[in-house]
Amino acid sequence: MARYETGFEDGRRLLRRRPERLAYGLLALTLVAAPWLLPAYHVGEATFILIMCVASLGLMTLTGFTGQVSLGQSAFVGIGAYIHTILLTQGVPLPLSLLLTTGGAALGGLLVGMPAIRVSGLHLAMVTMAFAIVCEHVLGRWKSVTGGHSGMAVPDPTLFGLSLGGPRAFYFLCLMVLAVVLLLLVNLMRSATGRAFIGIRDSEAAAQGLGIDVARTKVLAFSLSAACSGLAGALLAHQMQHITPEAFGLALSLQLVLMVFIGGLGSLRGAILGAILIGLLPSFISSLKEMLPARLGAQFGLELFVYGAVLTFFVLLEPGGLNSRWVRIRKVLAEFPWVRKSSTHQTKVYMKSERYR
Amino acid sequence: GAAGVGDKELVLGTHLDLSGPVAIAMPVIRNGIQMRIDEANEAGGINGRKLRLVVEDNASQPSQAVRAVDKLIRKDEVFALLCPFGSGPNVATVKKAVDAGVICFAPYAASGLVRQAAGQTPLLFTTNLNYDSTTSAAVKWATGNLGSKKVGFIYQEGPFGDLVGKGVKAALAAKGTPLAAEASYKVGDLDFSSHVARMQAAGVDLIVCATTTRETIAVAAEVKKLGLSGVNVLTASPGRAGLTIALGKDAMEGVYGVGTWRIAAPDQATAAEKSWAEGYRKRFKAEPDDVAAAFYDYTSWFLQEVRNAGRDLTADKLVKALQASTFKGVSSYDTQRFANNHIDPEWTRVEQVVQGRWTARSSVVDPAKSSL
Amino acid sequence: MLTLPHRQPIFHRRLANDRYLTRTDDAMTQLTQLIVQGISSGAIYGLVALGLVLGYKATEVLNFAQGDVVMLSAFLGWGLVVAVGLPFWLSFVLVLCISAALCFLLEAKIMRRIAGRPQFSGVMLTIGIGFMIRGGVSMLFGPQSRSYPTPWTGQSMQIGGSVVAELNLVIVGAAMGVTALLYYFLRRTTLGVAIHATSQNQLAAYLCGVRVKRLNSMVWAISGAIAALCGLLLAPITLVDLGLWFVMLKALAALVLGGFGSAPGAVIGGLLIGLIEQFAGVYLPDGVKDVAPYLVLIGVLVLYPRGILGESHGRRV
Amino acid sequence: MTPLLSVRNLETWYGPVRALHGVSLEVHAAQIVTVLGANGAGKTTLLNTIAGVLAPSNGTVEFEGRPIGGKDADEVARGGVVLVPEGRQIFPFLTIAENLRMGAFARRDAEIARDMAQMYDWFPRLFERQRQQAGLLSGGEQQMLAISRALMGRPRLLLLDEPSLGLSPLFTKDIFAIIKRIREQTKTAVLVVEQNAAIALATADHGYVIELGRVAAAGPCEALAQREDIKEFYLGGASHPPPQGVADGIRPARRRPSWN
Amino acid sequence: MSAEFFEVERLSLSFGGVKAVRDVSFSIRAGEILAVIGPNGAGKTSLLNLITRVFDASSGSIRFNGQDILRLARHDVVRQGIARTFQNIELFEGATVLENLLLGRHRADHGNFFSQMFNLPSVRRAEARTRERVEDVVRLLELAPFRHRPVAELPYGVRKVVELGRALAAEPRLLLLDEPASGLNPEETRRLAYWLEDIQAELGVTVVMVEHDMSLVAAVANRVVVMDQGQVLTDGTPAQVQADPRVIAAYLGT
Ligand SMILES: Nc1ncnc2c1ncn2[C@@H]1O[C@H](COP(=O)(O)OP(=O)(O)OP(=O)(O)O)[C@@H](O)[C@H]1O
Ligand SMILES: Nc1ncnc2c1ncn2[C@@H]1O[C@H](COP(=O)(O)OP(=O)(O)OP(=O)(O)O)[C@@H](O)[C@H]1O
Ligand SMILES: CC(C)C[C@H](N)C(=O)O
Ligand SMILES: [Mg+2]
Ligand SMILES: [Mg+2]
């Protein structure tokens, strides 16, 4: 059956066509060259976004692929940041600490996931939200270990005696971590486990009927996403240089959920696009402010208002998320000279209850 | 020249909570700073430079503050951070700023912790009194003068509450009495009945509050509602503000507070205070407020030394100037100076709301040198 | 139990250094005090949660902006009473109407567009709208806190030996009244059944001739009015303040605890959380109070995944 | 005589996909009309468009002389055109009785209770289970519920999308008998889409065959039932047993699936 | 092989007061196609749900290849070689036809989570094998034109076929079908009959099929079990049951 094998291998290849390979190659080059092209501030922002990408990829596996909405992701980011900081202070070398942190967060995800999977949908969102609130509280109260609300200073990242604390070096550390995480997730998503995730999202009954161990797979997804978030937390700790519990509160959870949602559920690319959009918003807003007339720019609440407006705009007008827009653009580009006028016929849609999934 | 020091312009930055839980307290702070800067610019700038203030939002979120400070340092290339707000945000960012050689002046935050986070640096100048030493002095005063025996503590979870608590405990430890009860709340909590009930259950006769505006009022009102007539309420400095009375009205009557700056009632105001208030009203079409005055003052102090540091401005020069400076502003109790990079002496006194006005109950002292 | 209201304007009694004997409270008084307090603060959570239940019932959207509507209403109340100078009760009615109209429009113009999308889109959208409301209010009114007098400000009475602010009674009364009305409306009227039906299968509801769009908007309007009620009742307790939306977190917990989509459940959940907070606040170590409702929430949901009064949604294949 | 329902040149799109390419048909008062067609021909789309579930992008739908094309489904339903949709669409957490009462939502007359008794009489299984959540009914029971809920609305035009789906042979016959009886008693017109062409053609007066979103044939049912192509495609399995070839291993040449 | 291949004994199920299945016993020989017919609400779907462990039986036993199914964990039933389709189609709406079919093979997919993450050669080989089997199903059911179409867009009839394909992809030894012909027109039903023949003859799969379309039952079933009110009314060849007056009265009509 060699016929299928070749076809199939082609189908499974990551970058199928020449133009695609070219585009991604260019992207990689740009990312590598970026620290020299951008001013220092933007390198910092880019690093921040890379970190957010790692965290949002984690949530995407859970929410976008497995259909389990979690508002507790900030807790795992926090756990990661704290474990990593504590390990580093204890003198554990950076690579080992990153691994241990990832493992620790995965374990945390496992422990939270096991009871949490008993509920689903909005109930799950609420349980995980409660968990995040409790977790932040514990971080703030457990003074002997976490330094309480005054937080902890994060040691500089060093590798074999070399400091990675500078903006460029740290940018590359984050870029590398993101690349590895992305590659592993891409692999996972195109294999049996990834398909099982999607199956559970679309119909638990059918998934069960196909012999997928629903409980186990859900816990796995939880654990996986916690691991990514924890890893992101470790990097974030370096980015912040000083961590306090409030940094890992509900607001961060909401941001992450917004990233995967606005990026487009069920696509890793969406997670990254979402992280870029949401990650850039604050700086976008602050530069917007500078352009507005001083009276308006100085208004209190302007940030919040614009932030909300952008969210509303994207949720309303990009139902498939940024990813679907991207796919459409790519299609137009691919068919370029023959631009088909897509007839936009409004179809009526009806609310579907999700209460009996 | 140094970062932010241009030919015609001096760029300063700050980060405030413009969209977070404490945004309510920001307009006055911002107005106070802005007013002084505008005045300086209207007078032709300082040493030939106009001043430009870049305001960023930290939403009281340390992580957002980190990014805001990154932007201020790297993109706007500010010369100094002027009066950034919030303990969490400042603790998380101060090291970053001073490491980059940016002066951090007068953060409105738990000073002790900010200093701890900053490490050994000459670039940090805190003007906010230490919550622990001032509160400690006030609690000692209360045990002496009000005869308080059992002390309870209601505090905001976070660095601010922690630091006030340290002061309360220090004062009690000196007396050899333990803290009778403590109850924490999170920013955003609306209901303080259980906190007060806890105090009541422990039978306290003095409740020390590490609270800001709304919570101070809520605690005071709850105490009144329950008719706990032998119980005194003492609020740490953030709750002791003109605003709490303006909003809390009757509920605030009789509450004690730890003073950090003068709150001038309109009819008792000095000429300087009156003209300042007039200027504020004109500029912002709003009633002036003690916090605004305080931040106006801090900005004044800063600008005064920028002028003294001369046209050839560098961080080092300004640090030297500041260390050598003395200052007494519209709202200062007394002349202040920086010693060991920190405001010294820490003038404070105990006040009480009497007929809708913060009224002195003790003399102004420096808690490090003498007790109230 | 209800001894006669012994009305006393409480804020005018003491002066600066007055010192009275500390009241000796026996454990019983303390207990009743806590229960009364717990019920009255729980009632507010329940009331906010009720508004959430309604919106959820009809459109299966969990309105995360509810807390912001509460906050907005409080500001509107301040605006009408203090800035415009209208009498309290007129403002009261006006605010209810404005908030209802606003939520009506919100559903009709915005929420409707995401029909058929995953449930969580509604959450995302209302979060965005909530931000806009919060930002808008602080741009319009400024972020400062403020207060205004209500008929209940500062009034309190004695019930069974413990002091209760009249406002708390009003709140409890309002919560009970609204719950009873809603319960009757949802269970006993054709329109109520239609709301259930619409949420279960919107297409089928259309096919039965239900004016789904109007119905949904109307239900949102009612939930807006409830939010306004909460805002107006909360304002005298807590000041008119941007932070009012925080009540949303507790209301959410109440809603989930009681079982999504159950009106009595929401109120029970609210009361439960109110009581838990009070008791944890006094009898458990410091700090536990803040997380106690959430710990209970996690525990209850893990044991009863549908909440206390949640319907079971068996699905067959 | 003007028809009760007249559909002219109806065109419906799903986003970029055109599902109906200009369909015209008529239903007269008290007439039973059937629509036949292969999978994906657009039958469901047609009924949904008439009922207002989908919006047409072209063409007109008139009911009793008034245009109803593009109106919302609830308005169409209140106007007397009631659809039993594909896939049942019951209210899963309401009881059976509540489901039926929802069918009469738009009615204000006093005869609702009587009609309900009538439904229980026709569908005794529903009577037995009237307090049970509808979502727990068996597939066929749900279909009964969907049909009787539509009847509770006392439609003047009843649109049925594959009413026999999941019903036992006996019950399929019953349903069509009921349809006929209703037509006799109340002059209700019926437009029915059906895979079981044999019974549909036997019951209906007039028939349309839709292929790929177009009307491919139309005429009185007797005439349609005689046509060879229709016999082959639509009556094949129903009127006579399948070719013996299946058992013998000799198969008739496979027709390409209609979706190619 | 003998009657032991699949055996249901005195199986009962009740929901509160409703006795959906009462003391049902029957057995299937390997390679047989067994049709289950009966009036609406007779308990046919419930029977399938019992076999695939969606519901827990109140009493009775189900033996498959000497294994007691009722003792297994839910997801392990499939591992024993039992696959099913659903009456109301339970496809993964958000996925393409191909993905649905691949998911059908989940139980045969090997390799742990880490080897999948690193896309080790063993995983690549397993994936290739999986895809190969799925392509066989695509060919058998003529699904090639829809391979990459999202299921949500497909008409009812095609979805039915996709669901059948998904069950087949699991390479079951026992296939449970719930009304496979509902919603299909006679032409399509005839095609289904061929496929079922193929499935039986070429793949050697045993089939239990709940069905109302007697033309299909008559064409492919070796044996028919008639259920009524949760009980077995009678069983026999298609011709026998079609002639049974009780079956005519309760189910077929005249
Ligand atoms: N939601 C949708 N999105 C895109 N295309 C659709 C959608 N629904 C239906 N279609 C397409 O429209 C065409 C007509 O579908 P329709 O459901 O009307 O067919 P039908 O005749 O009712 O078929 P069946 O007998 O299977 O019910 C089909 O080709 C189908 O693929
Ligand atoms: N979860 C449940 N709770 C209560 N009753 C149920 C449940 N599931 C099924 N029933 C009842 O059990 C009976 C048998 O249902 P089942 O679905 O097995 O019937 P069926 O033979 O498949 O019918 P059909 O041919 O209509 O699909 C029905 O009367 C149904 O109402
Ligand atoms: C500065 C004070 C008013 C308290 C403030 N909330 C802080 O974070 O410290
Ligand atoms: Mg159809
Ligand atoms: Mg069935």
Side-chain angles (χ1 to χ4, degrees), chain C residues 236-257:
Chain C
I237 303 185
T238 64
L239 297 189
V240 177
D241 186 321
L242 285 174
L244 274 185
W245 72 274
F246 271 102
V247 74
M248 176 73 186
L249 288 184
K250 299 282 169 53
L252 271 179
L255 175 74
V256 179
L257 209 53

Side-chain angles (χ1 to χ4, degrees), chain D residues 14 19 38-45 86 162 195, chain E residues 149 152-157 183:
Chain D
Y14 290 100
N39 259 301
K43 309 177 294 291
T44 300
T45 309
E86 185 175 72
E162 303 198 23
Q195 298 288 10
Chain E
R149 290 270 295 275
E153 289 176 6
L154 300 177
Y156 194 84

Side-chain angles (χ1 to χ4, degrees), chain B residues 24 27 146 155 182-184 188 191 193-195 198 200-201 214 224-226 229 247 249-250 256 352, chain C residues 10-12 16-17 19-20 23 25 30 33 37 143 145-147 163 238 241 246 278 281 284 286 289:
Chain B
I24 46 173
L146 298 177
Y155 65 103
E182 54 183 331
S184 65
D191 183 71
S193 49
S194 81
H195 300 83
R198 192 180 179 96
Q200 188 187 4
R214 192 180 56 207
K224 293 237 161 57
K225 192 188 92 190
L226 294 179
S229 33
L247 291 171
K249 305 202 176 70
D250 290 348
Y256 292 87
Q352 186 186 23
Chain C
I10 50 173
F11 295 156
H12 299 288
N17 270 339
R19 213 175 302 161
Y20 301 113
R23 237 173 60 204
D25 291 87
Q30 171 93 48
Q33 180 78 44
Q37 264 308 334
S145 308
R146 56 207 82 202
S147 64
V163 195
T238 64
D241 186 321
F246 271 102
Q278 289 295 324
L284 294 181
D286 175 35
K289 175 205 167 231

Side-chain angles (χ1 to χ4, degrees), chain B residues 142 145 184 208 281 284 316 332:
Chain B
N145 293 287
S184 65
V208 182
R281 264 186 219 108
F284 301 109
D316 274 352
S332 321

Side-chain angles (χ1 to χ4, degrees), chain C residues 316-317, chain D residues 138-140 166, chain E residues 40-41 43-46 87 178-179 210 212:
Chain C
R316 42 164 313 165
V317 286
Chain D
S138 84
Chain E
N40 296 119
K44 307 178 294 293
T45 301
S46 302
Q87 183 166 4
D178 201 349
E179 306 199 9
V210 171
H212 287 303

Side-chain angles (χ1 to χ4, degrees), chain A residues 260-330:
Chain A
V260 298
F261 219 86
I262 287 185
L265 290 181
S267 114
L268 294 176
R269 194 189 297 114
I272 289 179
L273 292 177
I276 294 175
L277 179 86
I278 300 289
L280 284 180
L281 257 185
S283 22
F284 162 74
I285 292 172
S286 77
S287 39
L288 180 80
K289 246 173 36 180
E290 280 158 26
M291 291 187 303
L292 289 175
R295 279 305 279 271
L296 188 59
Q299 284 283 12
F300 277 85
L302 181 75
E303 289 85 3
L304 210 56
F305 185 83
V306 175
Y307 196 84
V310 173
L311 290 188
T312 310
F313 176 85
F314 276 99
V315 175
L316 271 184
L317 299 185
E318 289 290 351
L322 296 174
N323 184 51
S324 76
R325 168 58 41 123
W326 168 267
V327 169
R328 264 173 285 155
I329 291 176
R330 201 177 50 184

